[in-house]
Amino acid sequence: MRASDAERERVAEALRDAVAEGRLDMEEFEERLEAAYKARTHGELAPLVRDLPTPGVRPTSPPASASSGEVDWPSRIGGTATSRGAFAFWGGFGRKGTWTVGRTFTAFAMWGGGEIDLREARFESAETVIRCFTIMGGMGVTVPPELTVRVRGFGLMGGFGDRATGEGTPGSPRVTVTGFALMGGIGVERKLRKAAKRGLGGSPRKELG
């Protein structure tokens, strides 16, 4: 049967939720979203969301303390920011590895995507605000389990995942992720640092990004 505009939009909304929750990476999201808007029949729409959960069912978030190894937070706070923002238009950006996050970091993506990885980052200030804005695009923010995070963003015809909200270890910077997603998705999720995955402790300054 022929697909309607409303059916195409429902599939697009499910894809935006999936990228916000970290179930799809940006490349998959963009490919499926483009296919959804081009689909003419139900048979073309169905495979795009077949491997995704039923809308409204959300997994529980991992506890902030679920990590191995200690983080030397005093060594990671202070210094001059190496980046205070990022922009993508019909493309993408990435901030990951060892870099210093500005006290306020603003990211914008339109018809594109971006990746902000804080697992090995330093912080200009113990109080950090990351502002994310996307229009028909997607953005992912990755934080370590040891970091204190608050997610305050929202989405309109899109999603803004808040699974990473939670307390970190003593001395952790306090990071607030805020912003707005319009017909797109912004996901914030916790992932182990590389050293923690290997079962190592020690200062993150010795780790590779």
Side-chain angles (χ1 to χ4, degrees), residues 75-149:
S75 72
R76 303 260 303 261
I77 300 174
T80 303
T82 58
S83 183
R84 298 184 184 278
F87 176 84
F89 179 75
W90 283 107
F93 68 81
R95 296 291 186 275
K96 54 186 177 180
T98 303
W99 62 295
T100 303
V101 190
R103 183 187 306 268
T104 300
F105 182 91
T106 303
F108 177 80
M110 182 173 182
W111 294 324
E115 178 184 3
I116 303 169
D117 193 331
L118 303 181
R119 288 177 294 177
E120 314 297 339
R122 295 174 56 90
F123 298 84
E124 181 183 34
S125 171
E127 295 283 350
T128 299
V129 177
I130 296 179
R131 305 190 304 166
C132 300
F133 303 94
T134 184
I135 300 175
M136 296 187 70
M139 205 176 297
V141 181
T142 304
V143 300
E146 302 90 349
L147 189 65
T148 297
V149 178

Side-chain angles (χ1 to χ4, degrees), residues 12 30 41 44 66 72 77 81 102 104 117 125 141 160 166 170 177 183 201:
E30 290 169 0
T41 66
E44 292 173 310
D72 182 11
I77 300 174
T104 300
D117 193 331
S125 171
V141 181
F160 205 116
V177 182
M183 297 181 69

Side-chain angles (χ1 to χ4, degrees), residues 3-189:
S4 67
D5 287 341
E7 289 166 332
R8 280 187 283 268
E9 188 54 46
R10 280 197 293 271
V11 169
E13 184 175 355
L15 294 174
R16 295 181 193 112
D17 289 342
V19 75
E21 294 173 353
R23 299 181 187 277
L24 295 177
D25 60 28
M26 282 309 306
E27 184 176 354
E28 290 177 301
F29 168 70
E30 290 169 0
E31 289 176 354
R32 295 193 192 194
L33 186 64
E34 181 179 4
Y37 284 120
K38 290 182 177 179
R40 295 186 177 184
T41 66
H42 291 172
E44 292 173 310
L45 284 175
L48 301 177
V49 292
R50 185 171 292 153
D51 59 346
L52 299 178
T54 303
V57 177
R58 301 177 59 182
T60 57
S61 60
S65 60
S67 63
S68 59
E70 295 295 328
V71 179
D72 182 11
W73 286 123
S75 72
R76 303 260 303 261
I77 300 174
T80 303
T82 58
S83 183
R84 298 184 184 278
F87 176 84
F89 179 75
W90 283 107
F93 68 81
R95 296 291 186 275
K96 54 186 177 180
T98 303
W99 62 295
T100 303
V101 190
R103 183 187 306 268
T104 300
F105 182 91
T106 303
F108 177 80
M110 182 173 182
W111 294 324
E115 178 184 3
I116 303 169
D117 193 331
L118 303 181
R119 288 177 294 177
E120 314 297 339
R122 295 174 56 90
F123 298 84
E124 181 183 34
S125 171
E127 295 283 350
T128 299
V129 177
I130 296 179
R131 305 190 304 166
C132 300
F133 303 94
T134 184
I135 300 175
M136 296 187 70
M139 205 176 297
V141 181
T142 304
V143 300
E146 302 90 349
L147 189 65
T148 297
V149 178
R150 295 286 182 272
V151 181
R152 304 277 173 86
F154 65 99
L156 177 63
M157 297 179 67
F160 205 116
D162 62 355
R163 294 165 53 201
T165 291
E167 295 297 319
T169 55
S172 159
R174 291 174 292 277
V175 176
T176 299
V177 182
T178 185
F180 177 69
L182 175 62
M183 297 181 69
I186 297 174
V188 187
E189 62 177 338

